[in-house]
Coordinates of all heavy atoms in Angstrom, one line a residue:
E80 N 104.2 135.2 82.9 CA 103.7 136.6 82.6 C 104.6 137.3 81.5 O 104.1 138.2 80.9 CB 103.7 137.4 83.8 CG 102.7 136.9 84.9 CD 101.3 136.8 84.4 OE1 100.8 137.7 83.6 OE2 100.6 135.8 84.8
I81 N 105.8 136.8 81.3 CA 106.6 137.4 80.3 C 106.8 136.5 79.1 O 106.3 136.9 78.0 CB 108.0 137.8 80.9 CG1 107.9 138.7 82.1 CG2 108.9 138.4 79.8 CD1 107.4 140.1 81.9
I82 N 107.3 135.3 79.3 CA 107.6 134.4 78.2 C 106.3 133.9 77.5 O 106.1 134.0 76.3 CB 108.5 133.2 78.6 CG1 109.7 133.7 79.4 CG2 108.8 132.4 77.4 CD1 110.5 134.8 78.7
S83 N 105.4 133.3 78.3 CA 104.2 132.7 77.7 C 103.3 133.8 77.2 O 102.8 133.6 76.1 CB 103.5 131.8 78.8 OG 104.3 130.7 79.1
R84 N 103.0 134.8 78.0 CA 102.1 135.8 77.6 C 102.4 136.5 76.3 O 101.6 136.8 75.5 CB 101.9 136.8 78.7 CG 101.0 138.0 78.3 CD 100.8 138.9 79.4 NE 99.8 138.4 80.4 CZ 99.4 139.0 81.4 NH1 99.8 140.2 81.7 NH2 98.5 138.4 82.2
H85 N 103.7 136.7 76.1 CA 104.2 137.4 74.9 C 104.7 136.5 73.8 O 105.2 137.0 72.8 CB 105.3 138.5 75.3 CG 104.7 139.5 76.2 ND1 104.1 140.6 75.8 CD2 104.7 139.6 77.6 CE1 103.7 141.4 76.8 NE2 104.1 140.8 77.9
R86 N 104.5 135.2 74.1 CA 104.9 134.2 73.1 C 106.3 134.3 72.6 O 106.6 134.3 71.4 CB 103.9 134.2 71.9 CG 102.5 133.9 72.3 CD 101.6 133.9 71.1 NE 100.2 133.5 71.5 CZ 99.3 134.4 71.7 NH1 99.5 135.7 71.5 NH2 98.0 134.1 72.0
F87 N 107.2 134.4 73.5 CA 108.6 134.4 73.2 C 109.1 133.0 73.0 O 109.7 132.4 73.9 CB 109.5 135.2 74.2 CG 109.2 136.6 74.3 CD1 108.8 137.2 75.5 CD2 109.2 137.4 73.2 CE1 108.6 138.6 75.6 CE2 108.9 138.8 73.2 CZ 108.6 139.4 74.4
T88 N 108.9 132.5 71.8 CA 109.2 131.1 71.5 C 110.7 130.8 71.4 O 111.1 129.6 71.5 CB 108.6 130.7 70.1 OG1 109.1 131.6 69.1 CG2 107.1 130.8 70.2
K89 N 111.6 131.8 71.3 CA 113.0 131.6 71.2 C 113.6 131.4 72.6 O 114.8 131.0 72.7 CB 113.7 132.7 70.5 CG 113.4 132.7 69.0 CD 114.3 133.7 68.3 CE 114.0 133.7 66.8 NZ 114.8 134.8 66.1
V90 N 112.9 131.8 73.6 CA 113.4 131.6 75.0 C 113.3 130.2 75.3 O 112.2 129.6 75.5 CB 112.6 132.5 76.0 CG1 113.1 132.2 77.4 CG2 112.7 134.0 75.7
T91 N 114.4 129.5 75.4 CA 114.5 128.1 75.7 C 114.7 127.8 77.2 O 114.4 126.6 77.6 CB 115.6 127.4 74.9 OG1 116.8 128.1 75.2 CG2 115.3 127.6 73.4
K92 N 115.3 128.7 77.9 CA 115.5 128.5 79.3 C 115.4 129.8 80.1 O 115.8 130.8 79.6 CB 116.9 127.9 79.5 CG 117.1 126.5 79.0 CD 118.4 125.9 79.3 CE 118.5 124.5 79.0 NZ 119.1 124.1 77.8
V93 N 114.9 129.7 81.3 CA 114.9 130.8 82.3 C 115.7 130.2 83.5 O 115.3 129.2 84.1 CB 113.5 131.2 82.7 CG1 113.6 132.3 83.7 CG2 112.7 131.6 81.4
V94 N 116.8 130.9 83.8 CA 117.7 130.4 84.9 C 117.8 131.4 86.0 O 117.5 132.6 85.7 CB 119.1 130.0 84.3 CG1 119.0 129.0 83.3 CG2 119.8 131.3 83.8
A95 N 118.2 131.0 87.1 CA 118.4 131.9 88.3 C 119.6 132.7 88.0 O 120.7 132.1 87.7 CB 118.5 131.1 89.6
G96 N 119.5 134.0 88.1 CA 120.7 134.8 88.0 C 121.5 134.8 89.3 O 121.3 134.0 90.2
G97 N 122.5 135.6 89.3 CA 123.4 135.6 90.4 C 123.4 137.0 91.1 O 122.7 137.9 90.8
A98 N 124.3 137.1 92.1 CA 124.4 138.4 92.9 C 124.9 139.5 92.0 O 124.5 140.7 92.2 CB 125.4 138.2 94.1
E99 N 125.8 139.2 91.1 CA 126.3 140.3 90.2 C 126.0 139.9 88.7 O 125.8 138.7 88.4 CB 127.9 140.4 90.4 CG 128.3 140.7 91.8 CD 127.9 142.1 92.2 OE1 127.8 143.0 91.3 OE2 127.8 142.3 93.4
R100 N 126.2 140.8 87.8 CA 125.9 140.6 86.4 C 126.7 139.4 85.9 O 126.2 138.5 85.2 CB 126.2 141.8 85.6 CG 125.9 141.6 84.1 CD 126.3 142.9 83.3 NE 125.9 142.8 81.9 CZ 126.7 142.2 81.0 NH1 127.9 141.7 81.3 NH2 126.3 142.2 79.7
Q101 N 128.0 139.4 86.2 CA 128.9 138.3 85.7 C 128.4 136.9 86.2 O 128.6 135.9 85.5 CB 130.3 138.6 86.0 CG 130.7 138.6 87.5 CD 130.7 140.0 88.1 OE1 130.1 140.9 87.5 NE2 131.4 140.2 89.1
D102 N 127.8 136.9 87.4 CA 127.3 135.6 87.9 C 126.1 135.2 87.1 O 125.9 134.0 86.8 CB 126.9 135.7 89.4 CG 128.1 136.1 90.3 OD1 129.2 135.6 90.1 OD2 127.9 137.0 91.1
S103 N 125.2 136.1 86.7 CA 124.0 135.8 85.9 C 124.5 135.3 84.5 O 123.9 134.4 84.0 CB 123.1 137.0 85.8 OG 122.6 137.4 87.0
V104 N 125.5 136.0 84.0 CA 126.0 135.6 82.7 C 126.6 134.1 82.8 O 126.3 133.3 81.9 CB 127.0 136.6 82.1 CG1 127.7 136.0 80.9 CG2 126.4 137.9 81.8
R105 N 127.3 133.9 83.8 CA 127.9 132.6 84.0 C 126.8 131.5 84.1 O 126.9 130.4 83.5 CB 128.8 132.5 85.2 CG 129.5 131.2 85.5 CD 130.5 131.3 86.6 NE 130.1 132.1 87.8 CZ 129.4 131.7 88.8 NH1 128.9 130.4 88.8 NH2 129.1 132.5 89.8
H106 N 125.8 131.8 84.9 CA 124.7 130.8 85.0 C 124.0 130.5 83.7 O 123.7 129.4 83.4 CB 123.7 131.3 86.0 CG 124.2 131.4 87.4 ND1 123.5 131.9 88.5 CD2 125.4 131.0 88.0 CE1 124.2 131.9 89.6 NE2 125.3 131.3 89.3
A107 N 123.8 131.6 82.9 CA 123.2 131.4 81.6 C 124.1 130.7 80.6 O 123.7 129.8 79.9 CB 122.7 132.7 81.0
L108 N 125.4 131.0 80.7 CA 126.4 130.4 79.8 C 126.5 128.9 80.0 O 126.7 128.2 79.1 CB 127.7 131.1 80.0 CG 128.8 130.9 78.9 CD1 128.3 131.3 77.5 CD2 130.0 131.7 79.3
A109 N 126.3 128.5 81.2 CA 126.4 127.1 81.6 C 125.3 126.3 80.9 O 125.3 125.1 80.8 CB 126.3 126.9 83.1

Side-chain angles (χ1 to χ4, degrees):
E80 299 300 322
I81 304 292
I82 309 309
S83 293
R84 176 178 282 183
H85 295 277
R86 296 183 180 98
F87 291 128
T88 57
K89 290 184 181 181
V90 177
T91 57
K92 294 187 170 102
V93 178
V94 301
E99 302 291 334
R100 180 186 187 272
Q101 63 265 24
D102 300 318
S103 296
V104 170
R105 181 173 40 84
H106 293 173
L108 196 55

